[in-house]
Amino acid sequence: MNRRMFLKLSGGFVFLTACTDEFTQTSTRKVSNFPIHLESNRNTGHLVRTAMELPISHVLHTETLIVGGGISGLAAACSLPNHDFLLCELNPDLGGTSGAIQINGDSYSQGAHYDLAYPENYGADGLQLLQDLEIITFNTKRGLWEFKDKQYLIDSKNEEACYDNGKMRSSILANTELKKNFIELLAPYSNQFPLPSTLINPELHHLDHISFFDYLNKYLPVDQYFIEAIDYQMLDDYGGTSRQISALAGIHYYKCRPYYTGEKVELFSPPQGNYYFIDKMKQQIPASNIKNKHLVFGLKQTEKGWQTDVYDVESKTRKQIVSDNIVYAGQKHPLKYIHPESYAQFNDVTYAPWVIVTIELKPEALTGSKWQNDFLSPNAAFLGFVDSQYQNQRSTHVLTAYYCFAEVNHHMVANMEENVDPIVHETIDNISLYFKRDISELVKQVHVKLLGHAMPIPQKGYLTKERTLTHNQLSFAGVDTGRLPLMFDAMDSGIQAVKRLHLKGNS
Ligand SMILES: Cc1cc2nc3c(=O)[nH]c(=O)nc-3n(C[C@H](O)[C@H](O)[C@H](O)COP(=O)(O)OP(=O)(O)OC[C@H]3O[C@@H](n4cnc5c(N)ncnc54)[C@H](O)[C@@H]3O)c2cc1C
């Protein structure tokens, strides 16, 4: 179905139904016969300018301030020895790139959507936190940490399908001689690529200084078809192609678990995705410690500790938080304004922008897909969609489509704030191609989430660069501290950020 056909089918007219809300983070448009809701942080610059004009109306005191309520910020909160802390999160809800959206009273993933059972050699701190949260338990027979909530495991027969330019096949990496050689090439690295990525043996760090493409090209007769498949997987998990990312990151993708060994690794994907982990951590924290809709816009060190400028978006007031310690778990690029002294050590980090299009369908049977539906087409940014039908059954049927744009195309995502309709049409067109039927008449509503700086790309040198992550009781967490953009690394970065602080309860 092309755009003209879509317009014909839907009546062809576009009109606004509601303007931006008070927070100016979400807006709703009605395109043809279904509404489109847009969520982005486009207004942050404006909020900072407003905040700077205001006098300080409240001063709050706390031992530790946590900036950012993604996985890393919450893992830090769960690791502190007491509850004398405040966590400021800009968004109305926690989660960051592991966020979720409410549809008909249920949560659906709007970012990270799965994790897999953890091998024994994974980091003890992260495994301990997941045990404390009652998420995992050790399967002695299989030597794997598996998930307790079995209802969220994806049945292997429903796991994955791949649409390749009009044809269906079972997986992204085709079963060829080249794939066999590729698996053999990486075989010596078995059990050497744990998470967190900080545990990788330094003897392998030289692999951080060669691109994954150059590494593969050196040892294998790679062809365009093979590299396209590899690039798809690298974009999907790391936000960059094999030419952009390091061999250390690339090999990690294939060797962090016993893939291609015939061993089954549990795939855990609740409908709310990795917001499941956010929810579990949130339950450990008193609600009064969490300050949503609080934007941190300045950090200043004083003789006694830290003074932080915060804008309360709801009450439109400026607050100051005085603390002994800070765990900074927000993205690092705004540090140029928030704390310029700290920015230099993160100025090598490049981020891939992502767009998530969540489609709520009318209650009519739409079958023929799998849980994850990969999509290879001339539009390399479109990575396919996840179908909620194969997650723990809920009455609402939701398709969640993912786009990862090249780092140089930040402006394309920024422009979507002005007009989000084309990407919604494109998504519906692509999914219609997949199902071989026009799905536009089944669409009830669409939510679009723009994530401008979603994922740090593990380029050459990124994973092994020396960084001072704690200085004067300011400790940095987050996957963009030289970690792989994965849940386990994000979580560990928060735990280690707390461990590096000199706190009364820390040994
Ligand atoms: C689309 C997508 C899909 C993914 N899928 C998976 C997956 O399936 N499995 C997996 O393991 N990993 C996945 N990942 C990676 C995973 O989501 C991340 O590694 C992890 O969630 C990052 O957590 P974080 O805390 O480091 O950062 P973030 O999630 O970016 O959290 C940072 C938080 O800080 C807040 N913040 C920033 N600055 C400020 C400020 N100044 N004041 C107040 N608040 C602030 C932000 O609003 C945000 O909530 C995915 C990532 C993306 C983008």
Side-chain angles (χ1 to χ4, degrees):
M1 182 181 57
N2 59 30
R3 180 168 157 74
R4 192 171 303 146
M5 180 179 156
F6 172 83
L7 290 172
K8 213 169 138 202
L9 284 165
S10 57
F13 51 88
V14 176
F15 54 97
L16 281 169
T17 52
C19 52
T20 47
D21 71 10
E22 187 199 10
F23 187 41
T24 54
Q25 270 217 319
T26 58
S27 60
T28 299
R29 289 164 60 79
K30 184 156 182 177
V31 177
S32 314
N33 48 0
F34 55 82
I36 298 176
H37 313 278
L38 171 66
E39 191 186 322
S40 82
N41 281 337
R42 65 192 177 283
N43 216 23
T44 311
H46 170 71
L47 293 179
V48 172
R49 283 191 293 279
T50 308
M52 286 172 80
E53 309 269 295
L54 296 172
I56 295 165
S57 59
H58 298 78
V59 180
L60 307 173
H61 292 263
T62 190
E63 189 174 305
T64 305
L65 168 68
I66 301 173
V67 182
I71 290 278
S72 62
L74 284 171
C78 291
S79 307
L80 283 165
N82 60 48
H83 282 161
D84 188 0
F85 70 88
L86 290 172
L87 184 153
C88 289
E89 165 54 51
L90 166 63
N91 287 320
D93 195 5
L94 301 171
T97 54
S98 296
I101 187 173
Q102 287 278 318
I103 301 175
N104 303 329
D106 285 321
S107 292
Y108 292 87
S109 166
Q110 247 191 341
H113 59 276
Y114 74 98
D115 213 348
L116 297 142
Y118 309 100
E120 255 180 299
N121 64 346
Y122 273 32
D125 294 334
L127 293 172
Q128 187 60 54
L129 178 55
L130 293 173
Q131 281 175 83
D132 295 345
L133 296 171
E134 307 217 332
I135 295 176
I136 56 168
T137 178
F138 191 61
N139 181 334
T140 38
K141 236 174 162 175
R142 308 198 55 207
L144 282 171
W145 289 93
E146 295 187 336
F147 297 94
K148 285 188 159 186
D149 264 344
K150 299 290 180 203
Q151 75 267 28
Y152 297 133
L153 297 182
I154 302 297
D155 190 336
S156 54
K157 71 176 189 303
N158 294 327
E159 223 171 272
E160 191 188 17
C162 176
Y163 174 96
D164 178 2
N165 294 289
K167 292 195 193 111
M168 296 305 295
R169 55 189 170 88
S170 57
S171 67
I172 282 281
L173 267 188
N175 286 325
T176 59
E177 196 58 24
L178 192 48
K179 179 177 172 182
K180 229 176 98 199
N181 294 339
F182 170 65
I183 293 168
E184 269 169 30
L185 173 69
L186 302 191
Y189 296 118
S190 295
N191 301 320
Q192 294 197 55
F193 281 80
L195 281 171
S197 50
T198 46
L199 293 185
I200 300 171
N201 186 340
E203 281 178 16
L204 297 172
H205 282 187
H206 62 97
L207 293 165
D208 198 33
H209 301 288
I210 171 174
S211 77
F212 193 33
F213 176 82
D214 285 343
Y215 172 85
L216 293 172
N217 201 29
K218 190 169 167 190
Y219 297 109
L220 295 172
V222 295
D223 56 31
Q224 191 195 334
Y225 199 61
F226 180 77
I227 289 297
E228 265 171 24
I230 297 277
D231 280 352
Y232 178 93
Q233 294 183 314
M234 296 302 101
L235 270 180
D236 206 17
D237 265 43
Y238 296 153
T241 63
S242 61
R243 284 180 169 81
Q244 286 175 285
I245 64 140
S246 68
L248 194 65
I251 298 170
H252 194 287
Y253 177 95
Y254 298 96
K255 297 309 292 182
C256 62
R257 291 185 175 86
Y259 303 130
Y260 306 116
T261 58
E263 197 176 325
K264 171 91 191 89
V265 180
E266 277 188 347
L267 168 55
F268 183 76
S269 182
Q272 68 271 40
N274 289 2
Y275 191 81
Y276 174 93
F277 298 91
I278 296 283
D279 228 5
K280 289 275 185 181
M281 293 186 198
K282 200 162 87 172
Q283 285 163 24
Q284 305 296 309
I285 304 168
S288 57
N289 291 41
I290 298 175
K291 304 281 177 204
N292 286 329
K293 297 195 191 181
H294 277 58
L295 168 68
V296 167
F297 65 94
L299 304 182
K300 202 167 90 199
Q301 200 186 353
T302 65
E303 275 177 17
K304 290 190 177 154
W306 290 90
Q307 270 177 11
T308 301
D309 287 315
V310 182
Y311 181 57
D312 178 339
V313 182
E314 191 135 88
S315 67
K316 297 192 172 67
T317 54
R318 177 176 175 169
K319 299 175 179 174
Q320 187 178 75
I321 298 183
V322 177
S323 65
D324 300 335
N325 320 298
I326 295 185
V327 174
Y328 187 95
Q331 291 90 336
K332 307 303 171 291
H333 62 285
L335 280 174
K336 358 178 188 198
Y337 312 108
I338 295 174
H339 193 244
E341 301 88 315
S342 296
Y343 175 65
Q345 60 171 325
F346 298 110
N347 64 8
D348 63 311
V349 184
T350 52
Y351 295 84
W354 281 70
V355 175
I356 297 151
V357 181
T358 310
I359 301 172
E360 180 190 348
L361 296 174
K362 293 174 189 163
E364 185 191 310
L366 179 66
T367 53
S369 65
K370 298 278 183 186
W371 165 71
Q372 179 156 294
N373 303 282
D374 300 329
F375 201 92
L376 288 166
S377 73
N379 178 358
F382 181 63
L383 296 175
F385 65 97
V386 168
D387 189 332
S388 73
Q389 273 186 112
Y390 301 99
Q391 295 167 313
N392 185 259
Q393 198 66 45
R394 288 182 178 172
S395 50
T396 309
H397 189 180
V398 170
L399 306 178
T400 308
Y402 292 88
Y403 289 83
C404 174
F405 290 89
E407 202 258 334
V408 292
N409 288 332
H410 271 286
H411 65 281
M412 282 172 66
V413 176
N415 290 345
M416 284 175 206
E417 286 166 0
E418 303 304 319
N419 184 8
V420 81
D421 307 346
I423 197 159
V424 172
H425 295 156
E426 186 187 323
T427 309
I428 291 171
D429 284 0
N430 282 331
I431 297 179
S432 295
L433 285 173
Y434 179 98
F435 282 105
K436 296 195 177 65
R437 67 171 280 196
D438 176 10
I439 66 148
S440 59
E441 74 274 19
L442 300 182
V443 177
K444 197 168 163 199
Q445 58 176 322
V446 178
H447 299 262
V448 180
K449 187 167 186 179
L450 306 182
L451 291 165
H453 290 76
M455 197 180 255
I457 303 170
Q459 304 196 85
K460 283 192 286 178
Y462 164 84
L463 285 172
T464 55
K465 181 179 162 170
E466 288 275 327
R467 296 174 214 266
T468 307
L469 292 180
T470 303
H471 186 58
N472 294 333
Q473 297 295 91
L474 165 62
S475 203
F476 289 97
V479 279
D480 52 356
T481 53
R483 305 298 195 104
L484 287 170
L486 299 170
M487 203 284 293
F488 201 94
D489 242 1
M491 182 179 63
D492 184 74
S493 76
I495 300 171
Q496 303 311 327
V498 168
K499 279 190 150 186
R500 291 191 304 266
L501 289 171
H502 300 291
L503 299 173
K504 276 169 224 139
N506 273 1
S507 45

